[in-house]
Amino acid sequence: MSRVWSYTGDTGPEFWPTLCEEFYEAGQFPWQSPISLFHKETQPLTQAIAFSYDQQTFYVKRVNDTMHFEPAEGLSYVEFADERYYLTDIHFHMPSEHIIEKEQTPLEFHLVHKSEHGQPFLVCAVLFSLEEGSQNRCNDDTIELANTEDEKQLLDPLMFLPEGSGYFHYEGSLTTPPTQGPVQWFVFDQKGVMSRFFIERFETSLSPNNRPLQDKKQRSIYYKKP
C-alpha cells in the first residue's frame, strides 16, 4: 500500500520520515539530496560517465503531482565506474531542487537509472532556465503533456542533456519518499533552455514539487570539466 505524501502541509517534506517506518528508515541515510553546489568546493572527477541512449517509446504517467516518462524497454543506459545503469524514469521538479552557485532555476529534469542488479541508483540532473543563448535539444515540439494515463511518447533521452557541459558528482539520496541512498548524482552545470510557454504549461498543470535543500555534512563533491 502506497503512503500519501506531498510537498505541503502535514504530509510535506519535513514530515516524510514520520509517515511510515519505510520513510523513516530511508531518511536515516546521512547524505540526503538535493544540495547546493559550488565549483570551489569540488575536487576533480577522474572517471567520466558514458551515455548509450536510444530513441524509444515511453509511457507518460502522473505520480504525486509529477509527470513521469517511463521507458517501455531497457534500451538506454549509462556506464560509470565499471557499472552499467539502465534508464528507468524521467521526471521533473519545479523549481529546481539543486542550486548551483546560489542560482535556482525554474525547472530540473531527473533521468533516473538503476544498476543491472536493481541497486544502487544513478540520477542525472539538468537544470533549465529561460535565458537566451543556452543550448539544449529540448523544444516545445519534442515533449507533450499527457492528457490520459499511460499515454505513449517517442523520445530520445539525449535531448535532455546539454552538449559540452561539465557536471558535478556526489553521493546522495532520492529526493522523493522513500529518500533512500546511496544514489550516484551527476548534476550538469550548463543549463538547458525552454520557452516560457513550455514552462508555463508545467506550472499550470502541476504543483510546485521541489524538496528543500539538505545538509551537505561535508561530503566529498567532485566536478568533471567539459
Side-chain angles (χ1 to χ4, degrees), residues 129-161:
S129 75
L130 302 177
E131 296 175 359
E132 296 298 329
S134 298
Q135 296 180 353
N136 193 274
R137 285 162 262 195
C138 283
N139 59 57
D140 293 343
D141 298 323
T142 55
I143 305 175
E144 295 293 337
L145 294 183
N147 295 315
T148 60
E149 189 73 7
D150 292 330
E151 179 179 326
K152 293 182 179 180
Q153 175 83 49
L154 187 64
L155 295 176
D156 183 347
L158 277 177
M159 72 184 191
F160 292 98
L161 304 180

Short mmCIF file of all heavy atoms in Angstrom, two decimals, residues 129-161:
data_model
loop_
_atom_site.label_atom_id
_atom_site.label_comp_id
_atom_site.label_asym_id
_atom_site.label_seq_id
_atom_site.Cartn_x
_atom_site.Cartn_y
_atom_site.Cartn_z
N SER A 129 16.50 26.92 -17.68
CA SER A 129 16.16 28.32 -17.45
C SER A 129 15.51 28.90 -18.69
O SER A 129 15.32 28.22 -19.69
CB SER A 129 17.42 29.12 -17.09
OG SER A 129 18.19 29.34 -18.26
N LEU A 130 15.17 30.18 -18.59
CA LEU A 130 14.60 30.91 -19.72
C LEU A 130 15.62 31.81 -20.38
O LEU A 130 15.28 32.60 -21.25
CB LEU A 130 13.41 31.76 -19.24
CG LEU A 130 12.27 31.01 -18.56
CD1 LEU A 130 11.20 31.97 -18.08
CD2 LEU A 130 11.67 29.99 -19.51
N GLU A 131 16.88 31.69 -19.99
CA GLU A 131 17.90 32.59 -20.51
C GLU A 131 18.17 32.31 -21.98
O GLU A 131 18.23 31.17 -22.41
CB GLU A 131 19.19 32.43 -19.70
CG GLU A 131 19.05 32.84 -18.26
CD GLU A 131 20.31 32.55 -17.46
OE1 GLU A 131 21.26 32.02 -18.05
OE2 GLU A 131 20.30 32.84 -16.25
N GLU A 132 18.33 33.37 -22.74
CA GLU A 132 18.67 33.22 -24.15
C GLU A 132 20.12 32.77 -24.27
O GLU A 132 20.97 33.15 -23.48
CB GLU A 132 18.48 34.55 -24.88
CG GLU A 132 17.04 35.03 -24.91
CD GLU A 132 16.12 34.08 -25.66
OE1 GLU A 132 16.60 33.41 -26.59
OE2 GLU A 132 14.94 33.99 -25.29
N GLY A 133 20.39 31.96 -25.28
CA GLY A 133 21.77 31.56 -25.55
C GLY A 133 22.17 30.22 -24.99
O GLY A 133 23.18 29.68 -25.38
N SER A 134 21.38 29.66 -24.05
CA SER A 134 21.69 28.33 -23.56
C SER A 134 21.42 27.31 -24.66
O SER A 134 20.56 27.52 -25.50
CB SER A 134 20.86 28.01 -22.32
OG SER A 134 21.15 28.90 -21.27
N GLN A 135 22.12 26.21 -24.63
CA GLN A 135 21.97 25.21 -25.68
C GLN A 135 21.43 23.92 -25.11
O GLN A 135 21.95 23.38 -24.15
CB GLN A 135 23.32 24.93 -26.35
CG GLN A 135 23.89 26.14 -27.08
CD GLN A 135 25.22 25.81 -27.73
OE1 GLN A 135 25.78 24.74 -27.52
NE2 GLN A 135 25.71 26.74 -28.53
N ASN A 136 20.36 23.43 -25.72
CA ASN A 136 19.80 22.15 -25.35
C ASN A 136 18.92 21.67 -26.49
O ASN A 136 18.43 22.47 -27.28
CB ASN A 136 18.99 22.25 -24.06
CG ASN A 136 18.65 20.89 -23.48
OD1 ASN A 136 17.67 20.29 -23.85
ND2 ASN A 136 19.49 20.38 -22.59
N ARG A 137 18.74 20.37 -26.55
CA ARG A 137 17.98 19.81 -27.66
C ARG A 137 16.48 19.77 -27.41
O ARG A 137 15.72 19.25 -28.21
CB ARG A 137 18.51 18.40 -27.96
CG ARG A 137 19.84 18.43 -28.68
CD ARG A 137 20.56 17.10 -28.59
NE ARG A 137 21.55 17.13 -27.53
CZ ARG A 137 22.52 16.24 -27.39
NH1 ARG A 137 22.63 15.26 -28.23
NH2 ARG A 137 23.39 16.32 -26.41
N CYS A 138 16.03 20.29 -26.28
CA CYS A 138 14.60 20.31 -25.98
C CYS A 138 13.92 21.49 -26.67
O CYS A 138 14.48 22.57 -26.76
CB CYS A 138 14.34 20.41 -24.48
SG CYS A 138 14.58 18.88 -23.59
N ASN A 139 12.70 21.31 -27.09
CA ASN A 139 11.87 22.42 -27.56
C ASN A 139 10.42 22.05 -27.38
O ASN A 139 10.09 20.95 -26.97
CB ASN A 139 12.18 22.77 -29.03
CG ASN A 139 11.95 21.60 -29.96
OD1 ASN A 139 10.85 21.05 -30.01
ND2 ASN A 139 12.97 21.20 -30.70
N ASP A 140 9.54 22.96 -27.71
CA ASP A 140 8.12 22.76 -27.44
C ASP A 140 7.51 21.59 -28.20
O ASP A 140 6.46 21.08 -27.84
CB ASP A 140 7.34 24.04 -27.78
CG ASP A 140 7.69 25.18 -26.85
OD1 ASP A 140 8.26 24.90 -25.79
OD2 ASP A 140 7.41 26.33 -27.20
N ASP A 141 8.14 21.17 -29.29
CA ASP A 141 7.56 20.13 -30.12
C ASP A 141 8.00 18.73 -29.72
O ASP A 141 7.46 17.75 -30.21
CB ASP A 141 7.94 20.37 -31.58
CG ASP A 141 7.39 21.70 -32.09
OD1 ASP A 141 6.27 22.06 -31.69
OD2 ASP A 141 8.09 22.35 -32.89
N THR A 142 8.99 18.61 -28.84
CA THR A 142 9.54 17.30 -28.53
C THR A 142 8.85 16.63 -27.35
O THR A 142 8.91 15.41 -27.21
CB THR A 142 11.04 17.39 -28.22
OG1 THR A 142 11.25 18.34 -27.18
CG2 THR A 142 11.82 17.80 -29.46
N ILE A 143 8.20 17.40 -26.48
CA ILE A 143 7.53 16.82 -25.31
C ILE A 143 6.13 17.39 -25.23
O ILE A 143 5.93 18.59 -25.34
CB ILE A 143 8.27 17.15 -24.01
CG1 ILE A 143 9.73 16.71 -24.09
CG2 ILE A 143 7.60 16.47 -22.83
CD1 ILE A 143 10.54 17.11 -22.90
N GLU A 144 5.16 16.55 -25.03
CA GLU A 144 3.78 17.00 -24.86
C GLU A 144 3.28 16.54 -23.49
O GLU A 144 3.62 15.45 -23.03
CB GLU A 144 2.88 16.40 -25.95
CG GLU A 144 3.19 16.88 -27.35
CD GLU A 144 2.89 18.35 -27.55
OE1 GLU A 144 2.06 18.89 -26.79
OE2 GLU A 144 3.49 18.96 -28.45
N LEU A 145 2.46 17.35 -22.85
CA LEU A 145 1.88 16.95 -21.58
C LEU A 145 0.83 15.88 -21.81
O LEU A 145 0.03 15.97 -22.74
CB LEU A 145 1.23 18.16 -20.89
CG LEU A 145 2.18 19.26 -20.45
CD1 LEU A 145 1.41 20.34 -19.73
CD2 LEU A 145 3.28 18.72 -19.56
N ALA A 146 0.84 14.87 -20.97
CA ALA A 146 -0.09 13.76 -21.13
C ALA A 146 -1.49 14.16 -20.69
O ALA A 146 -1.68 14.80 -19.67
CB ALA A 146 0.38 12.56 -20.31
N ASN A 147 -2.47 13.77 -21.47
CA ASN A 147 -3.87 14.02 -21.12
C ASN A 147 -4.54 12.77 -20.56
O ASN A 147 -5.57 12.85 -19.92
CB ASN A 147 -4.63 14.50 -22.35
CG ASN A 147 -4.13 15.85 -22.84
OD1 ASN A 147 -3.91 16.75 -22.05
ND2 ASN A 147 -3.96 15.97 -24.15
N THR A 148 -3.98 11.61 -20.86
CA THR A 148 -4.54 10.37 -20.38
C THR A 148 -3.46 9.52 -19.75
O THR A 148 -2.29 9.63 -20.09
CB THR A 148 -5.19 9.57 -21.54
OG1 THR A 148 -4.19 9.28 -22.51
CG2 THR A 148 -6.31 10.38 -22.18
N GLU A 149 -3.85 8.65 -18.84
CA GLU A 149 -2.90 7.75 -18.18
C GLU A 149 -2.34 6.77 -19.20
O GLU A 149 -3.04 6.30 -20.09
CB GLU A 149 -3.61 7.00 -17.04
CG GLU A 149 -2.68 6.21 -16.15
CD GLU A 149 -1.85 7.08 -15.24
OE1 GLU A 149 -2.08 8.29 -15.20
OE2 GLU A 149 -0.97 6.54 -14.56
N ASP A 150 -1.05 6.47 -19.06
CA ASP A 150 -0.36 5.51 -19.92
C ASP A 150 -0.31 5.94 -21.38
O ASP A 150 -0.21 5.11 -22.28
CB ASP A 150 -1.00 4.12 -19.81
CG ASP A 150 -0.79 3.50 -18.44
OD1 ASP A 150 0.24 3.80 -17.80
OD2 ASP A 150 -1.66 2.74 -18.00
N GLU A 151 -0.37 7.24 -21.63
CA GLU A 151 -0.16 7.73 -22.99
C GLU A 151 1.28 7.44 -23.39
O GLU A 151 2.19 7.46 -22.57
CB GLU A 151 -0.42 9.24 -23.03
CG GLU A 151 -0.20 9.87 -24.41
CD GLU A 151 -0.51 11.35 -24.39
OE1 GLU A 151 -1.42 11.76 -23.66
OE2 GLU A 151 0.17 12.09 -25.13
N LYS A 152 1.49 7.15 -24.68
CA LYS A 152 2.82 6.83 -25.16
C LYS A 152 3.47 8.04 -25.81
O LYS A 152 2.80 8.87 -26.42
CB LYS A 152 2.77 5.67 -26.15
CG LYS A 152 2.37 4.34 -25.52
CD LYS A 152 2.39 3.23 -26.54
CE LYS A 152 2.01 1.90 -25.91
NZ LYS A 152 2.02 0.80 -26.92
N GLN A 153 4.80 8.14 -25.68
CA GLN A 153 5.56 9.26 -26.23
C GLN A 153 6.88 8.72 -26.75
O GLN A 153 7.59 7.99 -26.05
CB GLN A 153 5.82 10.31 -25.14
CG GLN A 153 6.70 11.46 -25.57
CD GLN A 153 5.93 12.53 -26.30
OE1 GLN A 153 4.90 12.97 -25.82
NE2 GLN A 153 6.43 12.94 -27.44
N LEU A 154 7.24 9.08 -27.98
CA LEU A 154 8.53 8.69 -28.55
C LEU A 154 9.55 9.76 -28.22
O LEU A 154 9.39 10.92 -28.61
CB LEU A 154 8.41 8.51 -30.07
CG LEU A 154 9.64 7.94 -30.78
CD1 LEU A 154 9.93 6.51 -30.30
CD2 LEU A 154 9.45 7.97 -32.29
N LEU A 155 10.60 9.40 -27.47
CA LEU A 155 11.59 10.37 -27.02
C LEU A 155 13.00 9.83 -27.22
O LEU A 155 13.24 8.63 -27.13
CB LEU A 155 11.41 10.68 -25.53
CG LEU A 155 10.15 11.38 -25.05
CD1 LEU A 155 10.18 11.49 -23.54
CD2 LEU A 155 10.04 12.76 -25.68
N ASP A 156 13.93 10.74 -27.45
CA ASP A 156 15.35 10.43 -27.39
C ASP A 156 15.88 11.08 -26.12
O ASP A 156 15.92 12.31 -26.02
CB ASP A 156 16.09 10.99 -28.61
CG ASP A 156 17.56 10.61 -28.62
OD1 ASP A 156 18.06 10.12 -27.58
OD2 ASP A 156 18.21 10.81 -29.65
N PRO A 157 16.28 10.30 -25.11
CA PRO A 157 16.71 10.89 -23.84
C PRO A 157 17.87 11.87 -23.98
O PRO A 157 18.05 12.74 -23.12
CB PRO A 157 17.12 9.67 -23.01
CG PRO A 157 16.39 8.52 -23.61
CD PRO A 157 16.31 8.83 -25.08
N LEU A 158 18.64 11.77 -25.06
CA LEU A 158 19.76 12.69 -25.26
C LEU A 158 19.32 14.14 -25.34
O LEU A 158 20.11 15.05 -25.07
CB LEU A 158 20.54 12.31 -26.53
CG LEU A 158 21.57 11.20 -26.42
CD1 LEU A 158 22.17 10.92 -27.77
CD2 LEU A 158 22.66 11.57 -25.41
N MET A 159 18.06 14.36 -25.69
CA MET A 159 17.61 15.74 -25.87
C MET A 159 17.58 16.50 -24.55
O MET A 159 17.55 17.73 -24.54
CB MET A 159 16.22 15.77 -26.50
CG MET A 159 15.10 15.33 -25.59
SD MET A 159 13.53 15.28 -26.47
CE MET A 159 12.41 15.07 -25.09
N PHE A 160 17.62 15.79 -23.42
CA PHE A 160 17.62 16.46 -22.13
C PHE A 160 19.03 16.91 -21.71
O PHE A 160 19.15 17.70 -20.76
CB PHE A 160 17.06 15.53 -21.04
CG PHE A 160 15.60 15.23 -21.18
CD1 PHE A 160 15.18 14.05 -21.79
CD2 PHE A 160 14.64 16.13 -20.73
CE1 PHE A 160 13.83 13.77 -21.92
CE2 PHE A 160 13.29 15.85 -20.86
CZ PHE A 160 12.89 14.66 -21.47
N LEU A 161 20.05 16.41 -22.36
CA LEU A 161 21.42 16.66 -21.91
C LEU A 161 22.04 17.84 -22.65
O LEU A 161 22.04 17.86 -23.89
CB LEU A 161 22.28 15.42 -22.12
CG LEU A 161 21.79 14.13 -21.46
CD1 LEU A 161 22.76 13.00 -21.77
CD2 LEU A 161 21.65 14.32 -19.95
#
